[in-house]
Structure formats: structure tokens, C-alpha cells
Amino acid sequence: MCRKRVQAYEYMSIYDHLNMPQKEAVLNTEGPLLILAGAGSGKTRVLTHRIAYLIDDFGVNPWNILAITFTNKAAQEMRQRVNDLVGMGAESIWVSTFHSACVRILRRHIDYLGFDNHFVIYDTDDQKNIMKEICRKLNIDTRLYKEKALLAGIAHAKEELRTPDDMEKAAHGDYLMKKTAAVYREYQMVLMKNNALDFDDLIVKTVELFEKHPTVLEYYQERFRYIMVDEYQDTNTAQFRLVELLSSKYKNLCVVGDDDQSIYKFRGANIHNILDFEKSFPEARVIRLEQNYRSTKNILEAANHVIAHNEGRKIKTLWTENEEGEKVHFRQFLSGYEEAEYVTGEIMKAKRQGLCDYKDCAVLYRTNAQSRVFEEKFLTAGIPYKIVGGINFYSRKEIKDLLAYLKTIDNAKDDLSVRRILNVPRRGIGDATQTKVQEFADHMGYSFYEALRVAEEIPSIKRSLSKINDFVSFIQSLKAKAKEYNVRELLEDVIRLTGYVDELESEGTEEAESRIENIDELITKTQAYLDAMEEQDEPATLSGFLEEVALVADIDTVDPSQDYVLLMTLHSAKGLEFQRVYMTGMEDGLFPSFMSVRDGDPEEMEEERRLCYVGITRARKELTLTSARQRMVRGETQISKVSRFVREIPRELVDLGHTIEEKKPQISGNGSGSAYEKMRRAFQENAYSVSKNYTVKNAEPLSYGVGDTVLHSKFGVGIVKNITGGGRDYEVTVDFDTAGIRKMFAGFAKLKKL
């Protein structure tokens, strides 16, 4: 765009609240553009205003714009902001995730690749089930070749756009790779037979479609003349190729990302996509967004100092006009249990004092296993919480059963779904009969359901024939209803006719009641889908609903209106922000991980440091880092030193508080000869033997520990900060809400745990 045009719009009211780099990013619309957007620098604001500018001021048709992000949550937020800015016509803009956009394209054109347009999308559990069948079929010893490792090898190959043939050629003398290539080939054959795609296929098949059918590619190049990609640092090779193909005609590609937040290498993300953007697109402009609107100065300085230790990055330094704020809190404890008690107590105290709601707090950790002890403490304390990354709602048995019915109605070629519901509810069709059906299907080249439909042709199956025919008739009747019923009506009919809920009600257990509640939630989900489609003036189809639930991510289930503390891994926290963040397990060997410390790989350590940077920059007002001197890991006690990432933060930015390594200060005015000090020494002495027949006993164990909330008759409610063990009594340090920090002896204080 010419400079005159940029200047003409520089002071338009809609852009007055943008800073200069943001405004520059909005107004430069032509050609490749890399926006290096630091954490909390307003990248979503830039993208949405850029879309508004293209439509309102640059005259671009809304349907010529494609905006891609990585989560449904981010896509929904972006779409809402675009609607608020643009209004009429905004619904024509494609704002979606990579996977959703590819599903939409494949629904129209996948028949070019030999698939039916009613394909199903397999989740992780479905993939595992297929892999088990393949390993049995190919006589693979799963003790030597783990199913999970084989699936990971296939996923990595797809991320790099490598076919089974490519893998086999590259194997040379690598027997494992050669074996994986054979499994990969069989795996793809099963998927095609079932008219199914896995998540990686959604991208791979779209790239294949564009490369093999130029007319289809040209249609979408004309359709999407302006393309914007958020979180570009997280793209893999397949996603890069997809974007490259779509933008190759008009070159109007704007990517937004932050190499300092590239943390998904284990999922195939290629950081060089953003680091080498100018090499891939030589005419590209680069704009840096460095002003942070999220965090306090102290938190931001801590983040800057940590990430500065990485060498493989584009240089940028975040700054903010926000207040200086509190120092970063660091606390070290003897064990993971004390760590969890402290965090629990701090959250309770902040909530009780009206400093925050539960939803303003997040507990972050490196591995999912660390959540258990926090769950225990939160349950005891009555703190509501939600774990992100636990059992996915759509992975629960009752939900998968009912979705399998809907999948079978939509696509009967999906053998996995048909076999799942064949005996749900029990129909007396045994494993032996199913094996005969499967063998017949394989021999004839039929799907499992097609074999069921001609079961009378299968030898030695007459005893089960009537039961099979009843099942086929039932499915055919549901298929007929699907033409008239909406998704909710169809689901409710499946539930009623199968007696699924009736059977659960007859159990009369709490578990059964919980499963019924999950089914009710699934019905609610169908209605929400219908309402959303009506609002968007789009058709509500069974395929569309199944597609939506297949693409849902863990983070999409978080309801920001619910008042609960979020427990999640650092990887899951990306893209979120909280008033108070507790980063736990800050120990070398845990974070950074044991593997990165052991192997000494600079790239692995830099990825771990980027993960730390992401965690720090989630915090708006208050950041607490915690570690434990010893922690139970895989059944063994592990002694660890404080994480190097904590040590990379300058001392002047950190509040150490009371750590286990600090010498406890004496109370002012109580010298070594004071009455208090004499009493202190006396009560801290170990028990001693007065005579052979009389021994002074040790103090009884306390009912509370560090981090617990306690009540004192005079000072009121407080949090236990430290306990010094002794012989006759314990010295307890308590931070009271009104009286401040006090030290006292447990025997005299008579503290009551709340």
C-alpha cells in the first residue's frame, strides 16, 4: 500500500487506541507480512482490526478473507470481535482452526481422492483400537513395537508430509522404520476402507487435494485472497505447505506469532517456519509488537531475563506502561505435599480477603502427574477446581457409545463404530459371530456393516442371523429418520429405543447417575449446536455435529463464567491469562525436564525455557514460583535443586519469603538471655531420660501443617507459614489476616485447623 494511503487512515477513530506498530500492522495489507507479537501485545486486536480495515476501508469482500488460529476458543473470540467491528457481512469471513477449515474443504471435494464426503474423524482412542487390530493382523509383537510408538511414528511422518513409500525408502537398514512403514501403509488402508480420517489426515489430505487437483486449488486461491494465520510459530511442515499453496497466487499472507512461545515441538511444530519466514517469502515485511498490556513490570522483567538466555530467537524486548506490581514470589518447601498445602492456603486466603475469585487463579505444572496432590488438597479445603487435560468428555464410555450410533447412521462404512454398538445394548451377538462376519467382510471386500446386511450368505451363522437382522433393521430405520429429524431428535430417539438410560437407572448407583448426567449434557450440546447453526444461518447436519465434537480441544471445555481454579500443564495454559499464577515444581529434572537436563541438548533446553516464558507471561498481577527439596517421582524420592529458570531471574525482582534454607530471624528484643529465648530452647530440646523408669515424651503430632488455615482465639484466622519441630513442643509461625505474622508455641496457642 502506498504511504499516502497509510497516512490518510492513520488517525481514524477506530484505530485511535492502537499503538504505532499495531497501526502499521493493520494498514499494511499487500504482500507477505510477519507480525512478531510478544506475549500480551494485543495480537488479536491487530488481526480483528486488520480484517475490519480490509472490508470497510480497503473494499475487500468478506468472503475473500481467511483467518486461521489453533483453537476453537480463539476462533470464537476472533469471530465475535470481528462481528462487533464489521457487523453486516462478517459471517462470510472464514474464521476457523486449521482442522476445521480443512474439514470444510474436504466435505466438498474429498471424493476427488476416492473418499465419500460423509467421512468420519477418528480420535485418539479410535486410532489405538485400529492399531491393536493391525498389530494382530501383521503378527507384530507389541512388547517390542509399542502401539503408541507406532502411532507416534505415523503422526510424525504425516506432519512432515511423508507417505508410507517415503518412509520405507528412507528406512535403509533401520528395521524399526521399515516395520513402521508397513504398519503405516496398512493403517491408511484401514482408514480408507472405513471412510475415515485421523486429525493429521485432515491437513495432509487437503494438501494432497490441492497438489493433485489444480482447479480445486485455484478455486480456493480466488476465494481466499487475504490470508491471516495466528500462532504461526506452532505450525508444522504440512500446515506450512497448506498456507504456502493457498497464498501462492496473490501473496497476501499475514502471519502472527512469537518464536519465544514455540512450545509444541513434540507435536511436530517447526520453529523454523517463523524464524525463516523471510527466507520463504523474501519480499516479506516484519513488524514487532513489543508493548505488553497484560503483566506488571516486575513479571515482564522476569520473563525477559529468562528468555534472553535463548540463542535461537528473534531479538525483541517486551515493555509495559503497567504498574511495577509485586515482586515475583518464590517459595521452596521440603516436599510436594507442603508445596500443595501452601498454594491451597494462599488461594483460600486471597479468596477470603476478597482479593480475587477462584477463576482468577491457575496452578501450572510441567507434567499431568503433579495434579494429584493439588486435587487432594483442594478437595479437603473445599476449593472448586477443574483439570484441563483430564478425561475428555467425549472420551467417556456412554458418550462414545451414543456418538458411535450417530456415526453409524451417518457413515456405516465406519467399522469401528458399528462394532462398538453391535452389542450395545446386549443383543447376544458373540465374539465368535463377529469374527465370522469380519472374515467374510475381508474376503468379499465389504465393510463390516455391509457384511451384516447380507449375513444370510455367511456360513455357520444361522443361530445369530435373526439378531443381526434385527440390528440392521434398527440402524436402517434410524437412517431413514435422520432425513427428517434434527440432531437432537435423532439422539433422543437412539437413547429411547436402545433403553440406554433406562438400563443405567436400573443400576441405581452414583456412577450410573453421573453417566446419565453426562448423557443429558450431550443432549444439551446437540441443542447448542442447533442454536449456533440457526444463528449463523447455516444448515445443521448430522455430519456437521459429529465434526464439531471431533475437533473439540480440552481448552474449549473451559467455561470462563464458572468460578473454579484451573489446574493445567504449562502447555495447556498457552493463550490464557490469569490474575494470579502459581508455577509449581520449579526444580531441575522436573522443569526443565529430566531428559533435557540429562541429554544436554541446547535445542531441547531452549524449548523448555520457552515453556517457562509462556508460564510467566500468563500472570497479570501476581506470580508465585514454588519448588520442593524432595518429591516422590515414579515411586521414588527425588532430591532436586531449584530450577535454573528461577535462578535466571535477577534477585531484585524476587521475593524469597520464608524458604527452608533461610535461617529464622530472632524476634526483636528477645536476646539469648531473654525469658522467651530460654523457654524456646527448653521447648525445642529433645526429650531426655530422667531415670530408667521415667522419660519425658515428645510433643504430640499437630493436626495442621504448613499452608493450613487455622483459628486463634485472640488473633483470629491465619495461614501457617512455618513449623519448627522439637522435643516438648513445636514453634509455629502464623500469618494472621489482621494481626500479621506471629510466632508461638503450639501447646499454648491451641490453634484449630479450619
Side-chain angles (χ1 to χ4, degrees):
M1 176 187 295
C2 67
R3 181 172 294 276
K4 288 183 179 179
R5 179 124 193 182
V6 173
Q7 290 174 344
Y9 285 99
E10 203 162 50
Y11 298 104
M12 290 183 65
S13 60
I14 189 175
Y15 309 119
D16 282 349
H17 64 295
L18 299 176
N19 62 41
M20 287 308 296
Q22 289 177 334
K23 199 173 296 185
E24 186 182 0
V26 166
L27 302 181
N28 282 278
T29 60
E30 306 305 296
L33 174 66
L34 168 60
I35 303 174
L36 286 173
S41 61
K43 65 183 177 67
T44 305
R45 181 192 308 169
V46 168
L47 283 173
T48 52
H49 279 74
R50 197 169 190 274
I51 293 171
Y53 178 72
L54 284 169
I55 296 171
D56 290 342
D57 299 282
F58 209 63
V60 175
N61 290 319
W63 53 85
N64 288 142
I65 299 173
L66 170 65
I68 298 177
T69 187
F70 267 80
T71 67
N72 292 315
K73 186 182 179 68
Q76 289 165 5
E77 180 187 354
M78 190 182 295
R79 174 168 287 285
Q80 184 58 52
R81 290 207 203 178
V82 170
N83 286 342
D84 294 341
L85 287 172
V86 177
M88 187 70 70
E91 67 281 354
S92 300
I93 305 166
W94 272 31
V95 182
S96 68
T97 64
F98 268 105
H99 292 96
S100 294
C102 287
V103 168
R104 199 166 171 180
I105 292 167
L106 292 172
R107 287 286 178 213
R108 291 187 62 184
H109 306 287
I110 200 171
D111 53 317
Y112 282 78
L113 302 178
F115 284 79
D116 187 285
N117 296 88
H118 288 279
F119 60 85
V120 295
I121 303 167
Y122 279 171
D123 62 18
T124 306
D125 287 340
D126 297 330
Q127 290 176 275
K128 288 176 183 175
N129 289 331
I130 288 176
M131 188 54 65
K132 286 178 183 177
E133 291 293 328
I134 290 172
C135 288
R136 276 197 289 267
K137 181 178 179 180
L138 299 182
N139 295 316
I140 291 174
D141 187 348
T142 52
R143 291 171 298 180
L144 294 176
Y145 306 100
K146 302 293 183 184
E147 294 157 0
K148 190 174 181 180
L150 291 169
L151 283 169
I154 292 170
H156 181 65
K158 290 184 179 183
E159 288 157 1
E160 295 298 319
L161 292 174
R162 294 207 311 271
T163 65
D165 288 341
D166 295 333
M167 184 182 281
E168 191 168 40
K169 288 175 185 175
H172 300 300
D174 189 330
Y175 186 74
L176 175 58
M177 188 182 291
K178 197 169 183 179
K179 180 68 72 174
T180 304
V183 172
Y184 183 6
R185 183 174 287 103
E186 183 68 24
Y187 176 79
Q188 290 305 113
M189 288 171 60
V190 172
L191 286 182
M192 188 160 192
K193 177 175 171 289
N194 290 2
N195 196 38
L197 303 179
D198 62 20
F199 287 106
D200 294 310
D201 277 332
L202 297 176
I203 311 295
V204 172
K205 291 299 179 185
T206 307
V207 170
E208 183 183 339
L209 175 70
F210 288 163
E211 289 181 337
K212 290 184 176 179
H213 300 278
T215 54
V216 178
L217 173 60
E218 187 177 8
Y219 170 82
Y220 285 101
Q221 287 174 333
E222 288 294 331
R223 173 72 190 267
F224 303 128
R225 299 189 180 197
Y226 292 86
I227 299 169
M228 280 161 271
V229 182
D230 193 11
E231 304 289 3
Y232 188 69
Q233 75 281 347
D234 295 333
T235 55
N236 59 33
T237 300
Q239 290 162 336
F240 169 80
R241 179 60 178 155
L242 177 71
V243 170
E244 184 182 43
L245 286 166
L246 281 172
S247 63
S248 59
K249 185 170 185 177
Y250 290 100
K251 310 289 186 184
N252 297 325
L253 172 64
C254 169
V255 301
V256 185
D258 181 7
D259 52 298
D260 288 335
Q261 296 186 69
S262 179
I263 59 173
Y264 293 122
K265 183 180 178 182
F266 70 100
R267 292 183 188 167
N270 185 352
I271 192 173
H272 293 287
N273 287 350
I274 191 167
L275 292 179
D276 299 337
F277 186 79
E278 297 99 312
K279 292 180 183 177
S280 303
F281 303 92
E283 65 274 35
R285 293 196 58 177
V286 179
I287 297 173
R288 287 172 166 80
L289 305 183
E290 296 176 299
Q291 182 175 358
N292 176 283
Y293 294 91
R294 177 188 299 159
S295 305
T296 61
K297 284 187 173 71
N298 278 329
I299 291 173
L300 206 56
E301 276 301 297
N304 282 335
H305 277 89
V306 170
I307 201 63
H309 286 77
N310 275 7
E311 294 181 2
R313 62 186 294 258
K314 290 179 177 288
I315 301 302
K316 56 187 171 300
T317 302
L318 297 190
W319 61 277
T320 184
E321 293 179 346
N322 292 342
E323 62 183 357
E324 186 172 293
E326 294 186 33
K327 290 185 177 182
V328 175
H329 309 301
F330 173 68
R331 303 290 185 267
Q332 186 184 28
F333 302 93
L334 282 172
S335 70
Y337 289 97
E338 290 186 5
E339 176 188 54
E341 285 176 346
Y342 173 79
V343 171
T344 303
E346 288 295 296
I347 292 173
M348 288 179 67
K349 181 180 177 181
K351 172 71 172 176
R352 188 171 59 245
Q353 293 179 346
L355 300 176
C356 68
D357 291 323
Y358 289 125
K359 64 184 177 183
D360 297 321
C361 305
V363 179
L364 310 182
Y365 34 76
R366 181 64 180 82
T367 65
N368 279 308
Q370 291 169 252
S371 69
R372 182 185 61 82
V373 65
F374 288 101
E375 284 190 83
E376 291 176 359
K377 296 299 179 185
F378 281 15
L379 284 169
T380 303
I383 294 177
Y385 67 91
K386 179 180 179 64
I387 293 182
V388 177
I391 297 176
N392 187 296
F393 174 78
Y394 296 104
S395 295
R396 299 178 188 276
K397 180 185 182 303
E398 59 277 9
I399 303 304
K400 285 190 76 72
D401 285 346
L402 293 172
L403 288 178
Y405 267 103
L406 297 183
K407 288 178 181 180
T408 299
I409 296 166
D410 190 51
N411 169 32
K413 291 181 181 178
D414 179 8
D415 288 359
L416 213 59
S417 294
V418 177
R419 294 192 65 161
R420 182 181 185 96
I421 61 172
L422 187 58
N423 262 320
V424 178
R426 297 179 186 87
R427 295 185 174 90
I429 305 173
D431 291 342
T433 299
Q434 293 185 45
T435 300
K436 290 175 183 177
V437 174
Q438 187 64 64
E439 289 173 349
F440 177 77
D442 293 342
H443 177 71
M444 300 298 293
Y446 292 165
S447 70
F448 189 79
Y449 185 71
E450 286 172 332
L452 290 175
R453 293 190 68 180
V454 293
E456 65 274 4
E457 298 178 16
I458 304 174
S460 307
I461 206 172
K462 292 182 179 178
R463 291 180 60 185
S464 301
L465 184 58
S466 62
K467 298 170 184 176
I468 290 174
N469 287 339
D470 287 345
F471 172 76
V472 170
S473 297
F474 179 55
I475 295 300
Q476 289 301 114
S477 69
L478 291 172
K479 280 179 169 289
K481 290 177 180 179
K483 297 175 183 177
E484 305 294 333
Y485 286 20
N486 64 36
V487 181
R488 175 175 178 169
E489 292 168 340
L490 191 60
L491 175 62
E492 288 178 331
D493 214 38
V494 168
I495 294 169
R496 179 178 61 82
L497 294 172
T498 58
Y500 203 105
V501 170
D502 294 338
E503 192 171 314
L504 288 173
E505 287 176 341
S506 67
E507 291 181 19
T509 63
E510 287 186 14
E511 181 186 351
E513 183 62 32
S514 175
R515 291 172 66 186
I516 292 171
E517 290 172 359
N518 289 336
I519 292 171
D520 290 340
E521 181 60 28
L522 182 61
I523 295 172
T524 301
K525 173 64 182 174
T526 61
Q527 186 59 50
Y529 167 74
L530 293 172
D531 294 342
M533 291 301 100
E534 183 178 1
E535 187 177 326
Q536 296 171 27
D537 195 26
E538 292 185 7
T541 64
L542 178 55
S543 295
F545 173 73
L546 292 172
E547 169 192 317
E548 183 169 307
V549 299
L551 297 178
V552 72
D554 289 329
I555 199 64
D556 296 327
T557 65
V558 173
D559 185 349
S561 67
Q562 295 295 311
D563 193 24
Y564 45 53
V565 178
L566 285 182
L567 299 174
M568 66 180 83
T569 64
L570 286 148
H571 284 100
S572 298
K574 190 166 171 296
L576 303 177
E577 57 183 71
F578 304 90
Q579 185 174 323
R580 291 167 178 258
V581 169
Y582 299 86
M583 286 176 63
T584 63
M586 299 297 294
E587 302 131 35
D588 269 6
L590 186 57
F591 189 38
S593 69
F594 172 75
M595 297 285 281
S596 61
V597 173
R598 183 196 66 183
D599 297 342
D601 184 339
E603 288 191 6
E604 292 295 329
M605 187 58 70
E606 292 207 351
E607 174 115 351
E608 290 286 300
R609 188 173 283 109
R610 290 194 293 269
L611 187 57
C612 182
Y613 175 81
V614 166
I616 292 173
T617 54
R618 298 312 94 197
R620 292 200 296 261
K621 298 290 187 183
E622 192 167 335
L623 173 66
T624 301
L625 311 176
T626 64
S627 72
R629 174 72 66 82
Q630 59 185 39
R631 188 183 298 275
M632 191 71 74
V633 179
R634 292 181 295 275
E636 297 180 359
T637 300
Q638 180 174 293
I639 309 297
S640 303
K641 61 181 180 181
V642 174
S643 169
R644 66 196 64 195
F645 301 149
V646 175
R647 302 196 298 272
E648 289 170 359
I649 301 174
R651 176 66 181 85
E652 62 269 19
L653 297 177
V654 182
D655 152 39
L656 291 177
H658 291 297
T659 69
I660 62 172
E661 295 180 349
E662 285 186 295
K663 183 179 179 181
K664 299 298 182 292
Q666 289 186 342
I667 293 180
S668 178
N670 291 325
S672 61
S674 70
Y676 176 87
E677 188 58 29
K678 289 177 182 177
M679 183 171 68
R680 184 180 186 278
R681 286 199 301 270
F683 276 95
Q684 295 304 322
E685 287 175 358
N686 288 326
Y688 60 92
S689 176
V690 177
S691 69
K692 291 182 179 180
N693 299 320
Y694 179 72
T695 302
V696 178
K697 294 183 178 179
N698 285 312
E700 293 293 325
L702 300 176
S703 62
Y704 50 82
V706 174
D708 283 340
T709 303
V710 293
L711 177 67
H712 187 274
S713 58
K714 178 180 178 182
F715 300 128
V717 175
I719 304 291
V720 178
K721 290 292 184 182
N722 189 64
I723 298 174
T724 303
R728 306 181 190 183
D729 205 351
Y730 297 89
E731 184 186 64
V732 184
T733 303
V734 182
D735 184 2
F736 291 101
D737 292 355
T738 54
I741 295 177
R742 300 284 177 137
K743 291 190 177 186
M744 57 198 71
F745 294 107
F748 293 105
K750 294 182 170 52
L751 298 170
K752 182 180 178 182
K753 182 179 177 181
L754 297 180

